[in-house]
Amino acid sequence: MVVRGASVSKINPSIYLAAEVVYTETQYLCSNSNATVWTNALGIIVAITIARLFRLLLRLYELSFKPRKTIHKTPEAILWHRLLDWHQARQGGAIELHPSESETPRNRKRAPLKILLRVLLLGLSYLGILACSTLTARLATNSTALSDHRDCGIYQAVTNNSEEASFKIIGFNAELESGALTEKCFNTDAGTDGCNFFLQQSIPYQISGASCPFRDATMCSIPDSSVVRFSTGPVDVHVIGINMPLRVQFLRSTTCAPITVNETFAKAKVLNGSLFYYYYYGSTHYYPVTSLSVSSLEERDRPSMYRVNAKVSPEQWIPIPPLQARNGSSVSIIFVNSQGILYPEPSQDPIFPATKPYDVEHDIGLRYLRPSQRDNVLGCVDSIQWRAQDISATWYDLLGRDRTGTYFNLDWLKKVSPQSRGGLRLLLNSLTSSRIGMNIQSRQGMGLAASKLLEAGFSYKIAKEQWKQEARQLFETSLTRIQISARNLAQGVGAKYGLQRIEQGRKELCNGTFLFQSQGWRNVHVAGSVWILLWSLVVVLMAVPLDDERLLVEPVWQALYTFSEFTKDILPKYYHKVNRWAWDIRLRVR
């Protein structure tokens, strides 16, 4: 059964996040109110069961763990003994006391021990009721749900320009949401309001130094000691909510550095009295990559935001050979224009320079502008790799190539389950949109952390190395974009814009491959609930009284005792016979 409002499946495998091993168990997804009622009902059942168990333990103690035939007599035997006692009393003799109707010396010695045992069992029962009530409450675990949306799938624009525009709107919305979630939820505590949809709100990563990532080290305008690298390390796909039996990991890393801007790559041109710069760092399919920069602006025309232009290879541009990545990875180039923005202090930041003094009117004081009219350029090399641990330890890129350029063998895909193939497809499509340039090209200046410091063209004090903060925020946004893209594919966002769904491989892609945190729903352990009910049923049945005032557990206990005595006498004989038979066979073989 599927709840369409929440887009979750009623029966789903719940996955516990682990670095190496993933544990699964069947659970039942129900509303929070129903989960509370169910666990409370189980708590009441457990309390009643423990009271019955207390009675059973006392009766088993009375049996001394070894049934005696003289303890419980039939009604005919009891009547016969009473007649004998009456007859003996009439003749003036002493009445014989039978073990079933009086206390023997052995029982009199056990009386204090029995009282102590009753008190001990009563205390243990009370503690057991408290403990089991807590355990039954823990049967309602997390809110992890399995997505089963009817619009799940990959969508594409194939007919007209309106579909192309819709496709770009989806990417723009995903970029905006990724930036907002990164700012609000990345590295926040679990359960923070508005940050409880994904299984894990942020993907951990490390920051380290690196050498210039481009083929020509002179393309970096800073020394290698200042180049920054971000890397996640191997990440299990279950962390981002992809549910698949195959153990798959991905590795996401980005190396960023400011790019050299000089007359070789930035050429000036005057048009209608205004100065423009054309930047020749590569080309698209139609024209060179350009970014425009006006020569001078008056105060009344001062912009209030940064102007940003971003390109991603190889789809949007082809870098010149010196600017290509050493390992053939994708290169994102970001042009940042801060023309007209005034800073309170001088800045030597390569992307946000401000060394030109500017005297502002109205007693505001001295401010600083960027020294050149050219844009400042940031370059980032994105490395995205994945591997299937159950198949091979080799890392492959998005195109399926390893470090030597050899493509992986597609035959092994036929050997894995359809759900694993669908999960791998979901992963690769989600990783494609995580490149740095794709997470700022639509937001442009709004995607910079420095834009939060602007007010009417005036900037507050920026960090000493502001460009590193920008690169870090963009990398975090790219990690969040992975989860946003996986969710959009699982929920079929493209259907809202009338895009065409690719039916090939859809069943594999949408076969329970995405997990998320549902709102207002909780998982209840099915196995634990069944075991509690069965255990309670057995205890209650064993405490049912029979016609002769005995409990049902007593004949069962008598049968078990008889069977144990039978096995003591019979099994050793058969053991010796089998051993003798095996020994004779060995002698014959020899």
Side-chain angles (χ1 to χ4, degrees):
M1 183 176 179
V2 177
V3 182
R4 289 299 178 187
S7 300
V8 294
S9 174
K10 277 286 185 177
I11 299 295
N12 70 86
S14 177
I15 297 215
Y16 293 84
L17 302 181
E20 296 295 338
V21 183
V22 178
Y23 300 92
T24 63
E25 58 185 339
T26 304
Q27 298 188 350
Y28 185 81
L29 189 69
C30 57
S31 63
N32 289 337
S33 58
N34 291 338
T36 302
V37 172
W38 176 248
T39 53
N40 291 340
L42 288 179
I44 296 174
I45 293 175
V46 169
I48 298 175
T49 303
I50 291 179
R52 294 287 183 177
L53 183 63
F54 172 73
R55 183 180 180 184
L56 289 179
L57 292 177
L58 287 179
R59 182 55 61 90
L60 291 178
Y61 176 77
E62 292 175 356
L63 293 176
S64 299
F65 300 98
K66 183 177 181 180
R68 292 180 299 166
K69 297 180 180 180
T70 58
I71 292 181
H72 296 287
K73 297 180 179 295
T74 61
E76 293 80 3
I78 294 175
L79 179 62
W80 175 252
H81 280 290
R82 289 179 178 177
L83 289 174
L84 289 178
D85 293 341
W86 175 78
H87 178 71
Q88 192 173 3
R90 287 190 61 183
Q91 295 181 356
I95 298 177
E96 181 183 359
L97 297 178
H98 302 284
S100 61
E101 301 174 8
S102 65
E103 292 186 356
T104 62
R106 181 182 179 184
N107 290 335
R108 284 195 297 270
K109 293 180 181 180
R110 289 185 175 184
L113 183 61
K114 184 181 295 187
I115 295 175
L116 180 62
L117 180 62
R118 285 176 179 270
V119 174
L120 181 61
L121 288 178
L122 185 61
L124 291 177
S125 299
Y126 177 74
L127 295 178
I129 291 175
L130 295 180
C132 291
S133 300
T134 304
L135 292 177
T136 54
R138 293 176 65 89
L139 289 176
T141 57
N142 52 35
S143 302
T144 303
L146 188 66
S147 178
D148 189 22
H149 204 285
R150 60 178 176 270
D151 295 329
C152 171
I154 299 176
Y155 291 79
Q156 61 180 356
V158 294
T159 57
N160 50 39
N161 293 331
S162 62
E163 291 191 357
E164 290 286 348
S166 299
F167 198 79
K168 292 181 179 179
I169 291 175
I170 294 175
F172 176 69
N173 292 335
E175 183 181 324
L176 285 178
E177 187 177 3
S178 300
L181 283 178
T182 299
E183 184 178 352
K184 180 179 180 181
C185 304
F186 208 91
N187 291 329
T188 57
D189 297 333
T192 303
D193 187 22
C195 305
N196 47 12
F197 180 84
F198 299 110
L199 296 187
Q200 187 166 321
Q201 302 306 319
S202 57
I203 302 174
Y205 65 93
Q206 300 83 32
I207 304 176
S208 61
S211 59
C212 185
F214 310 115
R215 290 185 179 180
D216 188 353
T218 60
M219 295 301 299
C220 293
S221 62
I222 59 175
D224 287 349
S225 59
S226 299
V227 178
V228 63
R229 182 176 186 269
F230 309 93
S231 178
T232 61
V235 179
D236 195 278
V237 294
H238 297 94
V239 173
I240 60 176
I242 296 181
N243 181 37
M244 55 191 300
L246 188 65
R247 298 179 63 191
V248 177
Q249 292 180 327
F250 70 91
L251 177 62
R252 178 74 176 82
S253 63
T254 296
T255 305
C256 294
I259 296 177
T260 301
V261 181
N262 53 31
E263 293 77 8
T264 304
F265 306 107
K267 298 182 179 180
K269 186 176 182 180
V270 178
L271 295 176
N272 298 326
S274 298
L275 180 64
F276 295 86
Y277 280 94
Y278 289 84
Y279 298 89
Y280 295 89
Y281 290 104
S283 61
T284 64
H285 300 288
Y286 305 103
Y287 49 84
V289 175
T290 61
S291 177
L292 301 181
S293 176
V294 182
S295 59
S296 61
L297 293 175
E298 297 182 0
E299 183 179 357
R300 63 176 181 271
D301 298 325
R302 184 180 299 118
S304 59
M305 290 294 295
Y306 292 96
R307 288 178 291 173
V308 174
N309 184 17
K311 302 289 183 181
V312 180
S313 70
E315 295 91 339
Q316 300 174 352
W317 75 300
I318 301 175
I320 58 177
L323 199 56
Q324 293 178 0
R326 295 177 179 177
N327 55 2
S329 300
S330 175
V331 179
S332 296
I333 188 169
I334 304 172
F335 299 89
V336 179
N337 188 313
S338 59
Q339 175 71 23
I341 295 179
L342 299 176
Y343 298 90
E345 296 180 0
S347 172
Q348 299 295 334
D349 189 283
I351 302 299
F352 302 93
T355 57
K356 183 179 179 180
Y358 183 82
D359 191 7
V360 185
E361 299 178 359
H362 308 296
D363 299 329
I364 295 180
L366 189 64
R367 292 294 185 266
Y368 297 88
L369 292 168
R370 66 173 186 170
S372 175
Q373 296 174 346
R374 294 184 298 230
D375 287 0
N376 301 290
V377 186
L378 178 66
C380 294
V381 175
D382 297 306
S383 177
I384 305 175
Q385 297 175 305
W386 63 273
R387 68 176 178 183
Q389 290 181 284
D390 296 336
I391 306 298
S392 173
T394 305
W395 290 94
Y396 297 96
D397 60 11
L398 293 178
L399 298 178
R401 300 172 302 186
D402 58 13
R403 293 183 177 180
T404 62
T406 304
Y407 288 87
F408 70 92
N409 190 359
L410 293 176
D411 293 337
W412 67 266
L413 284 175
K414 302 177 182 178
K415 302 178 182 179
V416 300
S417 63
Q419 186 179 4
S420 296
R421 290 195 295 268
L424 183 60
R425 188 181 181 189
L426 180 62
L427 172 66
L428 297 181
N429 280 274
S430 302
L431 291 175
T432 303
S433 58
S434 69
R435 289 169 289 181
I436 293 295
M438 289 187 171
N439 292 281
I440 195 175
Q441 60 184 4
S442 297
R443 295 180 298 160
Q444 299 181 358
M446 294 186 299
L448 296 177
S451 63
K452 306 296 189 300
L453 304 175
L454 288 179
E455 185 177 351
F458 291 88
S459 174
Y460 292 99
K461 182 181 178 180
I462 62 175
K464 183 178 180 180
E465 291 182 316
Q466 182 67 30
W467 74 271
K468 288 186 177 182
Q469 293 190 10
E470 302 293 346
R472 180 175 182 175
Q473 178 175 285
L474 289 176
F475 183 75
E476 293 177 352
T477 304
S478 70
L479 297 181
T480 306
R481 182 72 179 273
I482 298 175
Q483 303 188 76
I484 294 292
S485 299
R487 182 209 61 187
N488 289 346
L489 292 175
Q491 295 183 353
V493 177
K496 301 178 181 179
Y497 297 89
L499 300 180
Q500 182 176 351
R501 182 167 59 185
I502 302 176
E503 296 297 334
Q504 183 179 2
R506 176 183 173 273
K507 291 184 178 180
E508 296 178 352
L509 178 68
C510 304
N511 185 23
T513 56
F514 184 71
L515 293 166
F516 65 98
Q517 297 290 345
S518 60
Q519 303 300 317
W521 300 80
R522 296 188 70 184
N523 283 312
V524 177
H525 285 274
V526 175
S529 301
V530 171
W531 277 111
I532 289 177
L533 293 176
L534 291 178
W535 173 70
S536 302
L537 180 62
V538 171
V539 172
V540 171
L541 289 178
M542 290 296 101
V544 172
L546 302 177
D547 294 338
D548 54 356
E549 297 182 355
R550 292 187 302 165
L551 299 181
L552 182 60
V553 70
E554 297 180 37
V556 174
W557 187 263
Q558 177 69 42
L560 292 176
Y561 175 75
T562 304
F563 178 76
S564 64
E565 294 295 332
F566 172 77
T567 55
K568 286 182 181 179
D569 298 334
I570 301 300
L571 289 183
K573 299 179 181 179
Y574 282 101
Y575 172 77
H576 291 301
K577 289 182 179 181
V578 173
N579 191 23
R580 180 71 180 178
W581 176 71
W583 182 257
D584 292 341
I585 291 178
R586 286 196 295 268
L587 292 178
R588 292 176 184 177
V589 171
R590 291 181 180 178

